[in-house]
């Protein structure tokens, strides 16, 4: 397998792992979100499950063994109520966008277009959950800057 295909397979595996984590995270969100946003959470959950299934096939098509979902995931913060569930949903989408930006960089052709579309969808969902946007969703520099910023 060429170096570019190896990088593409690694990026696909990372995207698959992110989708596994998003599916898990939306399970938590669904258990805490209020009724007004429950349909939005369900739609995001379904979208991530569908992407997970597509990525599983794509990894196999490239000759890889799809990364399995973990039995559980550490949440970035406690989620005791609906407000925290909204913040978690936004965080999940921002993380997914970051992973798909790597897949855009590692792929070409139709897979690259598809990854860019998924990145855009995740960025739009993050904006809806958070209520604000960022200039370049998914960029690692943004994530690093956000990690260094103390939270209130």
């Amino acid at each position: 397998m060429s170096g570019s295909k190896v990088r593409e397979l690694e990026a696909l595996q990372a995207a698959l792992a992110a989708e596994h984590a998003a599916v898990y995270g939306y399970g938590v969100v669904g258990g805490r979100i209020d009724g007004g946003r429950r349909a939005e959470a369900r739609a995001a959950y379904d979208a991530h499950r569908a992407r997970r299934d597509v990525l599983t096939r794509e990894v196999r098509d490239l000759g890889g063994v799809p990364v399995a979902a973990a039995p559980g995931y550490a949440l970035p913060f406690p989620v005791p109520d609906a407000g925290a569930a909204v913040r978690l949903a936004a965080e999940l989408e921002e993380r997914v966008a970051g992973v798909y930006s790597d897949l855009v960089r590692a792929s070409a052709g139709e897979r690259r277009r598809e990854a860019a579309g998924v990145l855009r969808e995740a960025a739009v969902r993050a904006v809806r959950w958070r209520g604000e946007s960022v200039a370049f969703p998914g960029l690692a520099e943004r994530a690093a800057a956000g990690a260094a910023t103390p939270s209130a």
Side-chain angles (χ1 to χ4, degrees), residues 4-83:
S4 64
K5 286 297 179 189
V6 169
R7 284 189 297 280
E8 186 174 19
L9 180 57
E10 288 171 350
L12 280 169
Q13 291 279 36
L16 177 56
E19 293 294 0
H20 285 313
V23 167
Y24 178 90
Y26 270 105
V28 174
V29 169
R32 302 287 193 282
I33 200 80
D34 61 27
R37 299 197 78 180
R38 188 162 285 133
E40 187 178 355
R42 180 61 189 207
Y45 174 79
D46 290 342
H48 288 292
R49 285 183 57 205
R51 286 298 314 152
R52 178 200 62 196
D53 295 346
V54 167
L55 288 168
T56 298
R57 286 188 298 275
E58 289 181 0
V59 167
R60 284 191 182 118
D61 289 348
L62 283 179
V65 176
V67 63
Y73 293 86
L75 299 176
F77 48 82
V79 186
D81 56 29

XYZ file of all heavy atoms in Angstrom, residues 4-83:
589
model
N 0.414 7.370 0.590
C -0.809 8.180 0.613
C -2.020 7.335 1.008
O -2.917 7.812 1.713
C -1.037 8.853 -0.737
O -1.249 7.904 -1.748
N -2.047 6.077 0.570
C -3.165 5.194 0.953
C -3.105 4.847 2.434
O -4.140 4.723 3.086
C -3.169 3.922 0.091
C -3.638 4.162 -1.315
C -5.080 4.624 -1.333
C -5.552 4.881 -2.745
N -6.850 5.528 -2.777
N -1.898 4.684 2.956
C -1.748 4.414 4.388
C -2.275 5.595 5.190
O -3.024 5.421 6.155
C -0.273 4.099 4.745
C -0.060 4.096 6.247
C 0.152 2.777 4.138
N -1.898 6.823 4.774
C -2.382 8.020 5.474
C -3.905 8.142 5.374
O -4.574 8.502 6.332
C -1.706 9.275 4.920
C -0.271 9.433 5.399
C 0.308 10.782 5.020
N 0.399 10.992 3.581
C 1.352 10.506 2.791
N 2.315 9.772 3.307
N 1.363 10.755 1.501
N -4.437 7.809 4.205
C -5.888 7.866 4.024
C -6.589 6.845 4.919
O -7.585 7.163 5.574
C -6.244 7.619 2.558
C -7.697 7.805 2.250
C -7.991 7.702 0.761
O -7.176 7.139 0.004
O -9.062 8.183 0.369
N -6.046 5.633 4.992
C -6.633 4.604 5.854
C -6.550 5.029 7.320
O -7.515 4.869 8.074
C -5.946 3.255 5.637
C -6.464 2.087 6.482
C -7.961 1.866 6.260
C -5.679 0.825 6.158
N -5.428 5.606 7.725
C -5.294 6.083 9.109
C -6.316 7.176 9.407
O -6.925 7.201 10.484
C -3.878 6.598 9.360
C -2.834 5.502 9.432
C -1.408 6.029 9.457
O -1.197 7.250 9.230
O -0.496 5.216 9.692
N -6.520 8.091 8.456
C -7.499 9.165 8.645
C -8.925 8.603 8.687
O -9.758 9.073 9.461
C -7.353 10.210 7.542
N -9.196 7.590 7.855
C -10.508 6.931 7.902
C -10.727 6.267 9.255
O -11.821 6.358 9.831
C -10.638 5.890 6.793
C -10.981 6.399 5.402
C -10.802 5.281 4.379
C -12.395 6.945 5.360
N -9.699 5.603 9.758
C -9.812 4.941 11.069
C -10.053 5.973 12.172
O -10.860 5.745 13.077
C -8.550 4.125 11.374
C -8.384 2.908 10.508
C -9.200 1.711 10.971
O -10.316 1.832 11.470
N -8.639 0.527 10.773
N -9.360 7.117 12.086
C -9.559 8.170 13.087
C -10.977 8.719 13.011
O -11.614 8.978 14.043
C -8.534 9.286 12.886
N -11.486 8.890 11.790
C -12.867 9.363 11.629
C -13.850 8.338 12.184
O -14.828 8.697 12.852
C -13.161 9.656 10.158
N -13.587 7.063 11.936
C -14.453 6.008 12.473
C -14.428 6.030 14.003
O -15.487 5.948 14.647
C -14.014 4.643 11.936
C -14.771 3.428 12.464
C -16.273 3.553 12.230
C -14.217 2.158 11.813
N -13.258 6.173 14.588
C -13.160 6.242 16.051
C -13.932 7.453 16.588
O -14.616 7.360 17.613
C -11.694 6.304 16.476
N -13.845 8.577 15.881
C -14.574 9.773 16.303
C -16.083 9.559 16.202
O -16.842 10.031 17.056
C -14.150 10.969 15.456
N -16.509 8.850 15.173
C -17.947 8.569 15.041
C -18.425 7.633 16.148
O -19.519 7.816 16.688
C -18.266 7.998 13.658
C -18.066 8.977 12.525
C -19.025 10.165 12.522
O -19.894 10.290 13.413
O -18.912 10.984 11.595
N -17.605 6.638 16.500
C -17.962 5.771 17.641
C -18.155 6.625 18.898
O -19.134 6.459 19.634
C -16.867 4.740 17.912
C -16.795 3.598 16.964
N -17.889 2.868 16.568
C -15.720 3.037 16.343
C -17.506 1.898 15.747
N -16.201 1.992 15.582
N -17.206 7.534 19.146
C -17.279 8.388 20.332
C -18.487 9.313 20.270
O -19.152 9.537 21.290
C -15.989 9.197 20.471
N -18.800 9.838 19.083
C -19.955 10.726 18.943
C -21.260 9.976 19.206
O -22.163 10.509 19.867
C -19.971 11.359 17.556
N -21.353 8.764 18.711
C -22.562 7.958 18.964
C -22.726 7.749 20.471
O -23.818 7.918 21.021
C -22.502 6.616 18.200
C -23.579 5.646 18.684
C -22.630 6.856 16.696
N -21.647 7.395 21.145
C -21.695 7.224 22.591
C -22.107 8.541 23.268
O -22.999 8.571 24.126
C -20.329 6.768 23.110
C -20.272 6.617 24.602
C -20.593 5.408 25.210
C -19.900 7.685 25.425
C -20.540 5.257 26.592
C -19.849 7.546 26.801
C -20.166 6.344 27.373
O -20.115 6.202 28.741
N -21.444 9.620 22.871
C -21.716 10.919 23.480
C -23.146 11.370 23.287
O -23.771 11.917 24.212
N -23.698 11.123 22.105
C -25.089 11.507 21.881
C -26.050 10.637 22.685
O -27.177 11.068 22.980
C -25.447 11.517 20.398
C -25.185 12.878 19.786
C -24.085 13.097 18.974
C -26.031 13.941 20.051
C -23.835 14.348 18.433
C -25.790 15.198 19.519
C -24.696 15.392 18.718
O -24.457 16.642 18.197
N -25.628 9.448 23.056
C -26.430 8.655 23.987
C -26.563 9.361 25.323
O -27.643 9.394 25.921
N -25.468 9.967 25.772
C -25.487 10.746 27.011
C -26.331 12.006 26.819
O -27.166 12.344 27.661
C -24.053 11.100 27.459
C -24.061 12.032 28.659
C -23.257 9.833 27.756
N -26.105 12.694 25.704
C -26.875 13.912 25.419
C -28.373 13.598 25.429
O -29.164 14.314 26.059
C -26.457 14.515 24.053
C -27.420 15.612 23.620
C -25.024 15.039 24.108
N -28.763 12.532 24.759
C -30.178 12.170 24.684
C -30.800 11.902 26.032
O -31.992 12.145 26.236
N -30.002 11.420 26.975
C -30.514 11.151 28.308
C -30.662 12.384 29.171
O -31.324 12.338 30.215
N -30.057 13.482 28.769
C -30.068 14.691 29.599
C -30.756 15.892 28.938
O -31.117 16.843 29.614
C -28.636 15.130 29.932
C -27.787 14.110 30.637
C -28.211 13.953 32.088
N -27.239 13.223 32.882
C -27.082 11.921 32.883
N -27.804 11.173 32.083
N -26.202 11.335 33.660
N -30.913 15.855 27.625
C -31.417 17.020 26.890
C -32.892 17.235 27.187
O -33.628 16.279 27.462
C -31.157 16.837 25.366
C -31.205 18.167 24.630
C -32.120 15.855 24.760
C -29.950 18.943 24.748
N -33.324 18.487 27.132
C -34.740 18.741 27.366
C -35.546 18.448 26.106
O -35.004 18.301 25.017
C -34.984 20.166 27.875
C -34.536 21.238 26.899
O -34.506 20.982 25.682
O -34.221 22.343 27.371
N -36.836 18.341 26.260
C -37.725 17.942 25.171
C -37.654 18.826 23.945
O -37.827 18.342 22.821
N -37.374 20.111 24.119
C -37.332 21.032 23.002
C -36.223 20.744 22.003
O -36.335 21.093 20.828
N -35.152 20.095 22.439
C -34.021 19.829 21.548
C -33.781 18.335 21.357
O -32.802 17.940 20.744
C -32.767 20.508 22.092
C -32.981 22.029 22.148
C -31.750 22.806 22.266
N -31.072 22.914 20.980
C -29.925 23.568 20.835
N -29.345 24.142 21.866
N -29.344 23.628 19.654
N -34.692 17.536 21.866
C -34.522 16.080 21.768
C -34.501 15.609 20.311
O -33.701 14.755 19.939
C -35.605 15.366 22.558
C -35.351 13.874 22.644
C -36.110 13.193 23.739
N -35.462 13.522 25.004
C -36.104 13.925 26.093
N -37.403 14.045 26.085
N -35.453 14.192 27.187
N -35.342 16.158 19.461
C -35.376 15.757 18.048
C -34.053 16.105 17.356
O -33.555 15.329 16.535
C -36.543 16.420 17.318
N -33.490 17.245 17.700
C -32.197 17.654 17.139
C -31.098 16.680 17.565
O -30.252 16.289 16.758
C -31.885 19.072 17.618
C -30.686 19.711 17.011
C -30.485 21.147 17.507
O -31.326 21.678 18.260
O -29.466 21.725 17.124
N -31.128 16.280 18.822
C -30.138 15.311 19.321
C -30.322 13.966 18.634
O -29.339 13.308 18.257
C -30.266 15.162 20.835
N -31.541 13.550 18.440
C -31.810 12.264 17.772
C -31.327 12.292 16.319
O -30.752 11.320 15.831
C -33.306 11.947 17.837
C -33.697 10.650 17.184
C -32.993 9.497 17.860
N -33.195 8.281 17.119
C -33.165 7.090 17.644
N -32.939 6.935 18.930
N -33.334 6.032 16.913
N -31.559 13.406 15.636
C -31.105 13.526 14.245
C -29.583 13.459 14.165
O -29.022 12.799 13.270
C -31.617 14.830 13.639
N -28.894 14.107 15.093
C -27.431 14.058 15.107
C -26.950 12.642 15.421
O -26.012 12.140 14.789
C -26.881 15.055 16.123
N -27.577 12.000 16.381
C -27.241 10.612 16.728
C -27.380 9.710 15.503
O -26.482 8.928 15.180
C -28.162 10.158 17.858
C -28.039 8.707 18.241
C -26.997 8.261 19.059
C -28.981 7.773 17.818
C -26.895 6.928 19.425
C -28.884 6.440 18.177
C -27.841 6.025 18.981
O -27.750 4.697 19.333
N -28.499 9.835 14.798
C -28.723 9.025 13.599
C -27.696 9.326 12.516
O -27.212 8.409 11.835
C -30.136 9.244 13.062
C -31.217 8.657 13.964
O -30.902 7.798 14.819
O -32.387 9.074 13.808
N -27.340 10.589 12.346
C -26.337 10.964 11.343
C -24.982 10.339 11.669
O -24.289 9.824 10.775
C -26.215 12.488 11.260
N -24.599 10.363 12.931
C -23.311 9.782 13.320
C -23.327 8.254 13.201
O -22.321 7.662 12.803
C -22.917 10.237 14.727
C -22.500 11.668 14.754
N -21.356 12.124 14.149
C -23.108 12.753 15.283
C -21.264 13.422 14.316
N -22.322 13.833 15.001
N -24.429 7.631 13.508
C -24.520 6.173 13.311
C -24.386 5.824 11.836
O -23.685 4.877 11.477
C -25.859 5.647 13.852
C -25.885 5.582 15.366
C -27.175 5.005 15.884
N -27.376 3.674 15.313
C -28.548 3.095 15.158
N -29.653 3.720 15.517
N -28.648 1.894 14.665
N -25.042 6.583 10.982
C -24.956 6.326 9.541
C -23.530 6.527 9.036
O -23.008 5.705 8.263
C -25.930 7.232 8.790
N -22.870 7.596 9.465
C -21.479 7.839 9.051
C -20.570 6.730 9.572
O -19.660 6.285 8.869
C -20.978 9.187 9.574
C -21.524 10.373 8.865
C -21.182 10.445 7.386
N -19.798 10.185 7.103
C -19.338 9.669 5.957
N -20.162 9.360 4.983
N -18.062 9.452 5.781
N -20.807 6.287 10.787
C -20.010 5.186 11.347
C -20.112 3.962 10.454
O -19.104 3.308 10.147
C -20.515 4.872 12.760
C -19.811 3.711 13.427
C -20.632 3.151 14.556
N -21.892 2.633 14.056
C -22.939 2.368 14.833
N -22.888 2.587 16.115
N -24.045 1.876 14.308
N -21.311 3.643 10.006
C -21.505 2.462 9.168
C -20.831 2.617 7.808
O -20.221 1.678 7.292
C -23.000 2.184 9.009
C -23.662 1.812 10.335
O -22.951 1.515 11.312
O -24.908 1.836 10.390
N -20.900 3.810 7.223
C -20.232 4.072 5.940
C -18.725 3.942 6.106
O -18.043 3.316 5.280
C -20.618 5.469 5.400
C -19.707 5.897 4.258
C -22.074 5.491 4.968
N -18.185 4.529 7.167
C -16.738 4.468 7.390
C -16.264 3.042 7.621
O -15.177 2.668 7.173
C -16.345 5.359 8.564
C -16.431 6.854 8.284
C -16.302 7.630 9.582
C -15.378 7.285 7.286
N -17.054 2.249 8.301
C -16.697 0.845 8.517
C -16.511 0.138 7.178
O -15.520 -0.573 6.966
C -17.775 0.139 9.367
O -17.836 0.777 10.651
C -17.472 -1.337 9.539
N -17.430 0.373 6.258
C -17.311 -0.229 4.919
C -16.102 0.314 4.163
O -15.389 -0.435 3.493
C -18.595 0.008 4.117
C -19.758 -0.860 4.576
C -20.955 -0.752 3.642
N -21.518 0.582 3.567
C -22.411 1.080 4.414
N -22.859 0.345 5.414
N -22.891 2.296 4.260
N -15.859 1.618 4.265
C -14.740 2.221 3.549
C -13.403 1.683 4.052
O -12.491 1.442 3.258
C -14.790 3.741 3.647
C -15.913 4.343 2.835
C -15.953 5.857 2.896
O -15.105 6.481 3.574
O -16.839 6.433 2.245
N -13.271 1.506 5.355
C -12.040 0.940 5.913
C -11.838 -0.478 5.380
O -10.742 -0.840 4.945
C -12.062 0.967 7.457
C -10.955 0.097 8.052
C -11.960 2.400 7.967
N -12.891 -1.255 5.382
C -12.797 -2.625 4.844
C -12.436 -2.620 3.362
O -11.648 -3.432 2.909
C -14.108 -3.374 5.061
C -14.302 -3.838 6.470
C -15.475 -4.810 6.594
N -15.640 -5.169 7.974
C -16.725 -4.909 8.696
N -17.767 -4.312 8.144
N -16.791 -5.265 9.959
N -13.034 -1.694 2.612
C -12.746 -1.603 1.179
C -11.276 -1.294 0.907
O -10.748 -1.699 -0.134
C -13.626 -0.538 0.515
C -15.089 -0.948 0.421
O -15.407 -2.144 0.652
O -15.921 -0.061 0.132
N -10.627 -0.597 1.828
C -9.199 -0.305 1.675
C -8.323 -1.406 2.265
O -7.103 -1.271 2.300
C -8.847 1.031 2.333
C -9.240 2.280 1.558
C -8.855 3.538 2.328
C -8.596 2.299 0.177
N -8.944 -2.487 2.726
C -8.183 -3.607 3.255
C -7.867 -3.528 4.734
O -7.101 -4.338 5.246
N -8.460 -2.580 5.428
C -8.212 -2.437 6.857
C -9.238 -3.172 7.698
O -10.276 -3.613 7.205
N -8.917 -3.313 8.956
C -9.843 -3.869 9.940
C -10.399 -2.680 10.724
O -9.633 -1.977 11.398
C -9.128 -4.853 10.893
C -10.076 -5.334 11.974
C -8.531 -6.007 10.121
N -11.690 -2.412 10.618
C -12.263 -1.221 11.269
C -12.019 -1.211 12.776
O -12.161 -2.232 13.446
C -13.762 -1.340 10.974
C -13.844 -2.221 9.770
C -12.698 -3.178 9.887
N -11.614 -0.048 13.264
C -11.417 0.124 14.694
C -12.759 -0.096 15.392
O -13.796 0.359 14.914
C -10.822 1.518 15.004
C -11.754 2.635 14.602
C -10.464 1.647 16.454
N -12.720 -0.832 16.483
C -13.948 -1.132 17.229
C -14.282 0.006 18.186
O -13.402 0.762 18.618
C -13.769 -2.427 18.020
N -15.541 0.100 18.522
C -15.972 1.064 19.532
C -15.465 0.614 20.890
O -15.387 -0.584 21.175
C -17.490 1.168 19.550
N -15.119 1.576 21.718
C -14.728 1.275 23.092
C -15.987 0.957 23.897
O -17.087 1.399 23.538
C -14.000 2.471 23.700
N -15.859 0.205 24.986
C -17.040 -0.077 25.806
C -17.600 1.179 26.473
O -18.769 1.248 26.809
C -16.542 -1.073 26.853
C -15.088 -1.252 26.645
C -14.670 -0.490 25.436
N -16.758 2.186 26.633
C -17.184 3.449 27.229
C -16.173 4.520 26.883
O -15.063 4.215 26.450
N -16.558 5.765 27.045
C -15.690 6.892 26.727
C -15.708 7.880 27.880
O -16.758 8.103 28.496
C -16.166 7.594 25.445
C -16.015 6.745 24.212
C -16.999 5.837 23.838
C -14.872 6.830 23.435
C -16.858 5.046 22.715
C -14.718 6.044 22.305
C -15.712 5.151 21.953
O -15.558 4.359 20.842
N -14.549 8.491 28.149
C -14.476 9.535 29.165
C -15.062 10.812 28.579
O -14.667 11.232 27.487
C -13.026 9.765 29.581
N -15.995 11.387 29.257
C -16.586 12.643 28.802
C -15.658 13.790 29.185
O -14.958 13.718 30.200
C -17.969 12.834 29.424
C -18.996 11.754 29.071
C -20.297 12.005 29.820
C -19.228 11.694 27.573
N -15.656 14.870 28.401
C -14.742 15.978 28.694
C -15.107 16.767 29.943
O -14.282 17.504 30.474
C -14.838 16.855 27.434
C -16.145 16.512 26.811
C -16.413 15.072 27.165
N -16.344 16.587 30.418
C -16.814 17.261 31.632
C -18.082 16.548 32.093
O -18.705 15.818 31.311
C -17.074 18.759 31.377
C -17.893 19.033 30.150
C -19.281 18.941 30.166
C -17.275 19.381 28.958
C -20.031 19.178 29.025
C -18.013 19.635 27.807
C -19.393 19.532 27.850
N -18.486 16.750 33.345
C -19.725 16.131 33.830
C -20.944 16.656 33.057
O -20.969 17.818 32.638
C -19.793 16.558 35.298
C -18.398 16.939 35.655
C -17.772 17.471 34.395
N -21.933 15.805 32.872
C -23.143 16.177 32.135
C -24.361 15.874 33.018
O -25.084 14.908 32.802
C -23.226 15.420 30.786
C -24.412 15.921 29.966
C -21.936 15.565 29.992
N -24.593 16.741 34.018
C -25.695 16.470 34.947
C -27.056 17.000 34.504
O -28.070 16.636 35.091
C -25.240 17.205 36.209
C -24.468 18.381 35.680
C -23.769 17.858 34.447
N -27.075 17.871 33.482
C -28.339 18.515 33.129
C -28.385 18.861 31.643
O -27.433 18.605 30.901
C -28.544 19.773 33.981
C -27.386 20.766 33.866
O -26.712 20.824 32.809
O -27.151 21.509 34.844
N -29.486 19.467 31.227
C -29.693 19.798 29.807
C -28.674 20.812 29.295
O -28.214 20.702 28.154
C -31.106 20.329 29.594
N -28.297 21.778 30.103
C -27.306 22.768 29.674
C -25.965 22.126 29.373
O -25.319 22.433 28.360
